Tab-separated table of all heavy atoms in Angstrom:
chain	number	residue	atom	x	y	z
A	1	LEU	N	-25.893	-2.903	-15.116
A	1	LEU	CA	-25.495	-3.293	-13.766
A	1	LEU	C	-25.205	-2.065	-12.904
A	1	LEU	O	-25.598	-2.008	-11.729
A	1	LEU	CB	-24.276	-4.211	-13.813
A	1	LEU	CG	-24.517	-5.593	-14.397
A	1	LEU	CD1	-23.200	-6.323	-14.573
A	1	LEU	CD2	-25.475	-6.385	-13.547
A	2	ASP	N	-24.529	-1.069	-13.487
A	2	ASP	CA	-24.240	0.163	-12.752
A	2	ASP	C	-25.526	0.855	-12.323
A	2	ASP	O	-25.634	1.362	-11.205
A	2	ASP	CB	-23.389	1.115	-13.586
A	2	ASP	CG	-21.960	0.620	-13.779
A	2	ASP	OD1	-21.571	-0.361	-13.117
A	2	ASP	OD2	-21.247	1.220	-14.600
A	3	GLU	N	-26.518	0.871	-13.192
A	3	GLU	CA	-27.803	1.489	-12.857
A	3	GLU	C	-28.451	0.773	-11.680
A	3	GLU	O	-28.990	1.409	-10.781
A	3	GLU	CB	-28.732	1.462	-14.076
A	3	GLU	CG	-30.119	1.985	-13.813
A	3	GLU	CD	-30.176	3.466	-13.466
A	3	GLU	OE1	-29.237	4.201	-13.808
A	3	GLU	OE2	-31.181	3.886	-12.847
A	4	LEU	N	-28.380	-0.556	-11.667
A	4	LEU	CA	-28.947	-1.315	-10.552
A	4	LEU	C	-28.202	-1.024	-9.248
A	4	LEU	O	-28.816	-0.904	-8.187
A	4	LEU	CB	-28.911	-2.812	-10.859
A	4	LEU	CG	-29.860	-3.282	-11.961
A	4	LEU	CD1	-29.607	-4.747	-12.273
A	4	LEU	CD2	-31.300	-3.049	-11.569
A	5	ILE	N	-26.890	-0.915	-9.332
A	5	ILE	CA	-26.100	-0.613	-8.138
A	5	ILE	C	-26.469	0.757	-7.590
A	5	ILE	O	-26.705	0.919	-6.397
A	5	ILE	CB	-24.587	-0.685	-8.450
A	5	ILE	CG1	-24.170	-2.125	-8.731
A	5	ILE	CG2	-23.762	-0.098	-7.302
A	5	ILE	CD1	-22.776	-2.266	-9.326
A	6	VAL	N	-26.525	1.734	-8.459
A	6	VAL	CA	-26.833	3.099	-8.031
A	6	VAL	C	-28.264	3.174	-7.478
A	6	VAL	O	-28.527	3.895	-6.515
A	6	VAL	CB	-26.627	4.093	-9.204
A	6	VAL	CG1	-27.147	5.462	-8.866
A	6	VAL	CG2	-25.148	4.161	-9.564
A	7	ALA	N	-29.191	2.410	-8.050
A	7	ALA	CA	-30.591	2.467	-7.627
A	7	ALA	C	-30.841	1.722	-6.318
A	7	ALA	O	-31.835	1.976	-5.649
A	7	ALA	CB	-31.481	1.898	-8.722
A	8	THR	N	-29.932	0.827	-5.946
A	8	THR	CA	-30.101	0.057	-4.712
A	8	THR	C	-29.539	0.849	-3.538
A	8	THR	O	-28.359	1.199	-3.522
A	8	THR	CB	-29.380	-1.301	-4.824
A	8	THR	OG1	-29.865	-1.973	-5.983
A	8	THR	CG2	-29.622	-2.153	-3.609
A	9	ASN	N	-30.381	1.104	-2.552
A	9	ASN	CA	-29.983	1.963	-1.427
A	9	ASN	C	-28.839	1.391	-0.605
A	9	ASN	O	-27.989	2.137	-0.124
A	9	ASN	CB	-31.186	2.217	-0.512
A	9	ASN	CG	-32.230	3.062	-1.193
A	9	ASN	OD1	-31.926	3.851	-2.085
A	9	ASN	ND2	-33.484	2.901	-0.788
A	10	THR	N	-28.788	0.086	-0.429
A	10	THR	CA	-27.757	-0.503	0.424
A	10	THR	C	-26.474	-0.855	-0.325
A	10	THR	O	-25.516	-1.309	0.286
A	10	THR	CB	-28.295	-1.779	1.106
A	10	THR	OG1	-28.702	-2.697	0.101
A	10	THR	CG2	-29.465	-1.445	2.025
A	11	ALA	N	-26.458	-0.632	-1.623
A	11	ALA	CA	-25.272	-0.984	-2.417
A	11	ALA	C	-24.178	0.061	-2.252
A	11	ALA	O	-24.444	1.231	-1.979
A	11	ALA	CB	-25.647	-1.104	-3.897
A	12	ASP	N	-22.944	-0.383	-2.407
A	12	ASP	CA	-21.794	0.513	-2.387
A	12	ASP	C	-21.642	1.095	-3.795
A	12	ASP	O	-21.261	0.400	-4.730
A	12	ASP	CB	-20.544	-0.273	-1.989
A	12	ASP	CG	-19.295	0.581	-1.940
A	12	ASP	OD1	-19.393	1.809	-2.187
A	12	ASP	OD2	-18.221	0.020	-1.656
A	13	ASN	N	-21.950	2.381	-3.952
A	13	ASN	CA	-21.944	3.009	-5.274
A	13	ASN	C	-20.560	3.045	-5.914
A	13	ASN	O	-20.443	3.209	-7.123
A	13	ASN	CB	-22.521	4.417	-5.213
A	13	ASN	CG	-24.031	4.389	-5.052
A	13	ASN	OD1	-24.665	3.360	-5.212
A	13	ASN	ND2	-24.605	5.521	-4.731
A	14	GLU	N	-19.507	2.880	-5.135
A	14	GLU	CA	-18.165	2.843	-5.715
A	14	GLU	C	-17.978	1.626	-6.609
A	14	GLU	O	-17.147	1.629	-7.514
A	14	GLU	CB	-17.107	2.847	-4.605
A	14	GLU	CG	-16.993	4.190	-3.909
A	14	GLU	CD	-15.884	4.195	-2.867
A	14	GLU	OE1	-14.922	3.411	-3.012
A	14	GLU	OE2	-15.984	4.981	-1.922
A	15	VAL	N	-18.770	0.585	-6.386
A	15	VAL	CA	-18.683	-0.629	-7.196
A	15	VAL	C	-19.121	-0.345	-8.630
A	15	VAL	O	-18.681	-1.008	-9.566
A	15	VAL	CB	-19.531	-1.762	-6.567
A	15	VAL	CG1	-19.565	-2.989	-7.453
A	15	VAL	CG2	-18.990	-2.120	-5.191
A	16	ALA	N	-19.934	0.669	-8.838
A	16	ALA	CA	-20.434	0.981	-10.175
A	16	ALA	C	-19.303	1.321	-11.142
A	16	ALA	O	-19.436	1.110	-12.339
A	16	ALA	CB	-21.440	2.131	-10.113
A	17	ALA	N	-18.193	1.811	-10.647
A	17	ALA	CA	-17.064	2.178	-11.516
A	17	ALA	C	-15.848	1.281	-11.271
A	17	ALA	O	-14.724	1.652	-11.565
A	17	ALA	CB	-16.693	3.630	-11.284
A	18	ILE	N	-16.088	0.086	-10.773
A	18	ILE	CA	-14.987	-0.783	-10.367
A	18	ILE	C	-14.154	-1.288	-11.550
A	18	ILE	O	-12.990	-1.653	-11.388
A	18	ILE	CB	-15.507	-1.970	-9.522
A	18	ILE	CG1	-14.364	-2.543	-8.694
A	18	ILE	CG2	-16.193	-3.006	-10.389
A	18	ILE	CD1	-14.801	-3.368	-7.535
A	19	GLU	N	-14.710	-1.281	-12.768
A	19	GLU	CA	-13.947	-1.766	-13.919
A	19	GLU	C	-12.730	-0.908	-14.204
A	19	GLU	O	-11.838	-1.309	-14.945
A	19	GLU	CB	-14.840	-1.879	-15.173
A	19	GLU	CG	-15.370	-0.575	-15.694
A	19	GLU	CD	-16.662	-0.120	-15.030
A	19	GLU	OE1	-17.138	-0.786	-14.092
A	19	GLU	OE2	-17.179	0.917	-15.452
A	20	GLU	N	-12.663	0.267	-13.604
A	20	GLU	CA	-11.518	1.157	-13.789
A	20	GLU	C	-10.370	0.849	-12.814
A	20	GLU	O	-9.298	1.416	-12.938
A	20	GLU	CB	-11.953	2.617	-13.591
A	20	GLU	CG	-13.091	3.063	-14.501
A	20	GLU	CD	-12.736	3.026	-15.973
A	20	GLU	OE1	-11.559	3.299	-16.310
A	20	GLU	OE2	-13.612	2.705	-16.786
A	21	LYS	N	-10.601	-0.037	-11.874
A	21	LYS	CA	-9.599	-0.356	-10.854
A	21	LYS	C	-8.534	-1.307	-11.401
A	21	LYS	O	-8.709	-1.952	-12.419
A	21	LYS	CB	-10.271	-1.004	-9.635
A	21	LYS	CG	-11.364	-0.166	-8.998
A	21	LYS	CD	-10.806	1.023	-8.286
A	21	LYS	CE	-11.921	1.755	-7.563
A	21	LYS	NZ	-11.492	2.968	-6.946
A	22	THR	N	-7.420	-1.397	-10.679
A	22	THR	CA	-6.346	-2.328	-11.044
A	22	THR	C	-6.756	-3.748	-10.655
A	22	THR	O	-7.713	-3.946	-9.893
A	22	THR	CB	-5.044	-1.973	-10.311
A	22	THR	OG1	-5.246	-2.181	-8.901
A	22	THR	CG2	-4.623	-0.535	-10.584
A	23	ASP	N	-6.006	-4.731	-11.150
A	23	ASP	CA	-6.302	-6.124	-10.803
A	23	ASP	C	-6.201	-6.360	-9.299
A	23	ASP	O	-7.008	-7.098	-8.729
A	23	ASP	CB	-5.356	-7.072	-11.549
A	23	ASP	CG	-5.653	-7.145	-13.036
A	23	ASP	OD1	-6.753	-6.720	-13.456
A	23	ASP	OD2	-4.780	-7.631	-13.788
A	24	GLU	N	-5.223	-5.750	-8.667
A	24	GLU	CA	-5.056	-5.913	-7.222
A	24	GLU	C	-6.246	-5.324	-6.470
A	24	GLU	O	-6.756	-5.922	-5.511
A	24	GLU	CB	-3.755	-5.243	-6.747
A	24	GLU	CG	-2.495	-5.913	-7.251
A	24	GLU	CD	-2.131	-5.525	-8.692
A	24	GLU	OE1	-2.611	-4.488	-9.201
A	24	GLU	OE2	-1.379	-6.288	-9.313
């Protein structure tokens, strides 16, 4: 999924590492 996010030009690349974020 991260590879698809990074490869998509209009995607927000910060989402690729979102599993590291807090629940909030």
Side-chain angles (χ1 to χ4, degrees):
L1 291 172
D2 290 350
E3 176 65 22
L4 291 173
I5 291 168
V6 171
T8 305
N9 292 333
T10 58
D12 180 2
N13 286 347
E14 288 183 26
V15 175
I18 201 161
E19 65 274 4
E20 303 297 326
K21 303 289 185 185
T22 66
D23 289 344
E24 293 80 19

